[in-house]
């Protein structure tokens, strides 16, 4: 890890100005992540639309945006979130199944760079 | 994979033929419903994540085309409904023509307002639809090669609203837009925001076949056509109703308005097109009419020095191709006309003068010349001012003005003489109390006229004559002023032009030294001193304009002849081998005359002195006839008449003529006027004042000039051939013309004659092979 990505990870996990709560997963496999809306918006076209004023409307309570993403596993989403913050991902530590799910989710969220990277790794 | 095997296991997933379809229907129903909610502005109840996921799933399961077509259908339906419920009801009552019920185009303005709302709603909705269909755009639209959903929305809006097949929306829109513009042209206040919204909308829509904007395909041409028509009518109306300055102000205003209009609510691409139309209809088509407007056109503007109007015309007409050309030729014609008028006053004056010729009116002759030059200078000043203040010192105009001046100045065959006389007038001593600076600035201006003269050699001949008189009669205002003028001429024509003039100055200086020496010589000499003070100016014959071969005869009195002899001995003793010829027609003398009342000192010409001395031997009342005087003095007839005129017919009548009259005729009798009185003790008898030449003199000058031209032409030919050794006829002619044109414009026939003369004298020969080629013979 470079200093920058280490600091960005610290920001993802510890910063007190995170203004988005993302509730990920369904049934018993649910986890809430906190993140920064501006980072999400600038790093991803999906979140740029999802978190735009047109769509968040009244779901905004005391400045905190709540967003649900039921069709992705929390552990997969965490990898994605870390990638969004740092631009880094380590596929070698994952099982093939995890990487496959990562491929599918990065496609849905239109994270093209990540998608291509995983695809290249898998083939 | 063609021999694909059946899966081994017996257990197979149950075939559910309807489940994918059901899933699709479910997904699509939700999406279609959501789009309708978006159209109803109810988006706040919707979940982006869910809708996105629905569309994502449909594309993922290969239902992209169905989704895409479904979206197209829902949007089309919605727009059809908008057309019926919002746009059609807003149609203005009966189109743009109903100015009765709809005087300010209020209905039209309202229609545009509705369209603006409809368009804004549509684009807002499309942005939301684009959000939830982002996956479809990125994954399906690209591979299926169909427009992105936002662009699909634009196309649907174009076809369903703007170019609706069901309702005449397009007609209304175009008519209302053109009507609003027309109203604004007629000084109504319109709501530009609404017009701009519609124009922007048309600019955002693309025509499928031309790939150009709908603005360009549907609107712009109609706009330009109606504008053409509008300004065609307005042009005719304005030309009929306003004078030229007002007309130009109106056109200026129109151009400005159209530029502002484009900037405020049309496309920049329209700017040059509408500008061209206004320029064509309001400027090009009426160029000549405006220029020639009777009391306010270009010529009246010039006459009254309306610099602002002229400047406006220059700027305005410069916008169109022919504008400046028309102005230039009109102004040039005007200059020629004014020049012609100036020339005519001169000819009428000189012919009138010819009528009472020999009336001793030499002053008038010079005055005519001075006035002609002054008027030409005033005209030049006037157009310099125009050029400076109204025409931005445009070089092309300057050239055309210069040509006009050159034309009429050279139309007056006397212009070289006149300009020289004008300079003479300014360089003469004690005239008009002008300061040196004033004289200098006048002379600078005169040089600009000199530039226009084609026959500079003729000018040079007159200048020499006039300078000679100034120098010999001591009339020159100052050496500095004379040298200054020669310096200016040198700048214009080079040193050859002025070496002889400078030689004249040298002669004057050397002569003054010579006279000092002569006086010393006389003081020391044992010879009998002459009974008169003799002052001699020795002139180098080649520098001065006197004609040696026709050296004037005159019987000088013995005292004078003797004095001349003394000087001649002195001079030739110092400069052996020189020849002195006495120019008695150029001299002056101071003599004392005793009249009944008192004595007067008379300053007269040498000829007058000779005539007056004859009366010394006569008794009171004894007269001399014209023939006697002529015979005894041997003065040439023309000179004699002129001098007798000065003595007997002018201001101071030293002689009395019988019979009385202004003319001198054979048989006239002359008496010494013993009763002569004058308030001044010292009297100057005018004779050799500068004047315009008589016809005879002019002919003589002309012949001299022609003779000089022959020599100059031959000299040029020899100079060129010596350098080139061999040359073709036409090239030689061209080169000779080039070398001589600063002095005069030689005609090719003259050059040809000179070439033949040189062949005869064996300076040149024709080449043996080619008779068109000459060789130089060393």
């Amino acid at each position: 890890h470079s200093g920058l990505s280490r600091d960005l990870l610290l920001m993802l996990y510890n910063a007190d100005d995170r203004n988005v709560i993302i509730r990920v997963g369904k049934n018993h496999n649910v986890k809430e992540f906190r993140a920064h809306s501006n980072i999400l918006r600038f790093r991803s076209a999906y979140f740029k639309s999802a978190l735009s004023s047109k769509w968040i409307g009244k779901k905004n309570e005391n400045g905190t945006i709540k967003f649900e993403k039921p069709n992705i596993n929390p552990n997969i989403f965490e990898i994605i979130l870390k990638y969004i913050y740092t631009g880094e991902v380590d596929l070698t530590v994952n099982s093939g199944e995890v990487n496959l799910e990562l491929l599918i989710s990065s496609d849905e969220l239109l994270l093209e760079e990540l998608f291509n990277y995983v695809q290249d790794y898998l083939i | 994979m063609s021999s694909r095997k059946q899966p081994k296991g017996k257990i197979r997933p149950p075939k559910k033929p309807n489940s994918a379809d059901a899933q699709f229907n479910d997904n699509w129903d939700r999406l279609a419903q959501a789009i309708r909610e978006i159209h109803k502005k109810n988006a706040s109840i919707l979940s982006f994540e869910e809708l996105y996921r629905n569309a994502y799933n449909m594309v993922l399961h290969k239902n992209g085309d169905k989704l895409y077509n479904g979206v197209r259908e829902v949007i089309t339906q919605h727009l059809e409904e908008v057309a019926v419920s919002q746009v059609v009801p807003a149609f203005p009552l009966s189109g743009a023509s109903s100015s009765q019920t709809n005087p300010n185009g209020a209905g039209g303005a309202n229609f545009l307002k509705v369209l603006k709302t409809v368009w804004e709603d549509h684009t807002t909705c499309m942005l939301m639809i684009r959000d939830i269909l982002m996956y479809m755009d990125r994954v399906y639209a690209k591979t299926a090669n169909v427009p992105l959903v936002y662009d699909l929305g634009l196309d649907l809006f174009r076809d369903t609203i703007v170019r609706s097949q069901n309702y005449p929306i397009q007609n209304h829109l175009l008519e209302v837009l053109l009507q609003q513009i027309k109203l604004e042209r007629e000084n109504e206040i319109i709501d530009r925001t609404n017009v701009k919204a519609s124009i922007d909308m048309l600019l955002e829509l693309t025509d499928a076949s031309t790939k150009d904007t709908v603005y360009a395909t549907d609107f712009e041409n109609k706009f330009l056509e109606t504008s053409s028509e509008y300004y065609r009518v307005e042009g005719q109306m304005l030309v009929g109703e306003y004078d030229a300055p007002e007309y130009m102000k109106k056109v200026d205003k129109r151009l400005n308005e159209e530029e502002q209009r484009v900037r405020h609510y049309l496309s920049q691409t329209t700017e040059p097109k509408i500008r061209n139309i206004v320029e064509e209809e309001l400027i090009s088509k009426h160029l000549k009419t405006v220029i020639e407007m009777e009391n306010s056109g270009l010529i009246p503007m010039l006459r009254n020095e309306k610099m602002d109007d002229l400047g406006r015309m220059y700027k305005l007409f410069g916008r169109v191709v022919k504008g400046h050309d028309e102005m230039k030729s009109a102004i040039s014609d005007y200059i020629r006309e004014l020049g012609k008028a100036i020339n005519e006053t001169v000819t009428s004056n000189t012919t009138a003068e010819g009528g009472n010729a020999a009336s001793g009116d030499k002053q008038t002759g010079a005055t005519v010349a001075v006035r002609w030059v002054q008027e030409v200078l005033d005209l030049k000043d006037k157009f310099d001012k125009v050029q400076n203040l109204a025409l931005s010192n445009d070089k092309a105009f300057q050239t055309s003005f210069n040509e006009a001046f050159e034309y009429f100045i050279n139309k007056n065959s006397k212009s070289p003489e006149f300009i020289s006389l004008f300079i003479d007038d300014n360089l003469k001593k004690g005239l008009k109390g002008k300061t040196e600076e004033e004289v200098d600035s006048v002379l600078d201006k005169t040089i600009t006229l000199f530039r226009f003269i084609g026959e500079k050699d003729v000018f040079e001949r007159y200048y020499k004559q006039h300078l000679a008189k100034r120098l010999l009669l001591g009339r020159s205002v100052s050496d500095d002023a004379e040298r200054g003028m020669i310096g200016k001429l040198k700048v214009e024509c080079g040193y050859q032009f002025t070496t002889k003039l400078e030689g004249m100055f040298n002669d004057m200086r050397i002569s003054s030294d010579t006279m000092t020496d002569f006086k010393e010589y006389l003081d020391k000499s044992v010879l009998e001193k002459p009974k008169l003070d003799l002052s001699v100016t020795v002139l180098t014959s080649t520098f001065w304009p006197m004609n040696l071969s026709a050296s004037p005869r005159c019987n000088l009195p013995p005292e004078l002849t003797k004095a001349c002899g003394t000087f001649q001995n002195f001079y030739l003793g110092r400069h052996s081998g020189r020849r002195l010829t006495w120019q008695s027609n150029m001299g002056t003398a101071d003599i004392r005359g005793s009249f009944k009342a008192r004595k007067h000192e008379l300053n007269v010409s040498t000829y007058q002195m000779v005539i007056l001395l004859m009366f010394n031997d006569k008794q009171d009342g004894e007269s001399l006839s014209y023939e006697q005087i002529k015979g005894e003095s041997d003065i040439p007839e023309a000179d004699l008449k002129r001098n007798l005129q000065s003595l007997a017919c002018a201001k101071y009548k030293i002689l009395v003529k019988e019979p009385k009259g202004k003319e001198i005729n054979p048989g006239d009798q002359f008496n010494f006027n013993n009763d002569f009185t004058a308030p001044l003790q010292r009297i100057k008898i005018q004779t050799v004042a500068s004047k315009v030449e008589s016809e005879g003199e002019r002919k003589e000058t002309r012949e001299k000039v022609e003779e000089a031209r022959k020599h100059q032409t031959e000299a040029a030919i020899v100079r060129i051939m010596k350098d080139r050794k061999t040359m073709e006829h036409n090239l030689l002619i061209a080169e000779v013309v080039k070398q001589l044109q600063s002095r005069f414009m030689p005609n090719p026939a003259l050059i040809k004659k000179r070439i033949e003369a040189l062949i005869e004298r064996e300076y040149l020969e024709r080449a043996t092979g080619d008779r068109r080629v000459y060789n130089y013979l060393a």
Side-chain angles (χ1 to χ4, degrees), chain A residues 49 54-55 69 71 107-108, chain B residues 49 52-53 131 134-135:
Chain A
S49 290
K54 280 175 292 189
W55 292 105
K69 194 63 196 134
N71 65 331
D107 175 49
E108 181 190 342
Chain B
E49 193 280 330
Y52 180 96
R53 184 151 40 83
D131 278 351
M134 198 190 309
Y135 193 85

Side-chain angles (χ1 to χ4, degrees), chain B residues 100-113:
Chain B
Q100 285 288 326
T101 54
N102 194 12
N104 297 318
N110 183 57
F111 175 68
L112 294 183
K113 203 169 170 185

Side-chain angles (χ1 to χ4, degrees), chain B residues 58 185 470 577:
Chain B
M58 286 179 75
R185 279 179 181 150
R470 285 200 298 280

Side-chain angles (χ1 to χ4, degrees), chain B residues 622-682:
Chain B
E622 197 180 340
S623 65
L624 282 168
S625 70
Y626 172 77
E627 283 74 15
Q628 277 173 302
I629 297 173
K630 186 174 183 313
E632 211 167 307
S633 69
D634 205 19
I635 297 171
E637 190 158 351
D639 286 328
L640 179 62
K641 280 189 178 173
R642 200 181 302 157
N643 281 288
L644 280 171
Q645 242 174 357
S646 306
L647 289 169
C649 314
K651 188 178 175 189
Y652 301 114
K653 293 186 172 57
I654 314 293
L655 298 180
V656 181
K657 182 173 88 80
E658 276 305 325
K660 307 249 183 257
K662 292 258 174 197
E663 306 292 326
I664 305 294
N665 294 306
D668 285 354
Q669 292 288 326
F670 297 89
N671 262 315
F672 181 69
N673 182 9
N674 232 332
D675 301 325
F676 175 78
T677 55
L680 289 171
Q681 198 257 328
R682 207 182 132 81

Side-chain angles (χ1 to χ4, degrees), chain A residues 77-88:
Chain A
F77 193 80
E78 187 162 4
I79 296 170
I80 287 174
L81 207 51
K82 280 156 108 178
Y83 161 76
I84 285 176
Y85 268 71
T86 64
E88 289 176 354

Side-chain angles (χ1 to χ4, degrees), chain B residues 77-94:
Chain B
Q77 268 172 22
H78 169 70
L79 288 176
E80 282 288 355
E81 206 180 297
V82 167
V84 180
S85 64
Q86 295 184 60
V87 181
V88 172
F91 280 169
L93 279 180
S94 50

Side-chain angles (χ1 to χ4, degrees), chain A residues 110 112, chain B residues 59 64-65 68 133-149:
Chain A
L110 295 171
E112 209 172 330
Chain B
V59 174
D65 53 343
Y68 194 88
L133 298 178
M134 198 190 309
Y135 193 85
M136 180 186 85
D137 266 351
R138 294 275 179 100
V139 177
Y140 169 77
K142 251 177 212 160
T143 48
N145 200 23
V146 291
L148 299 178
V149 71

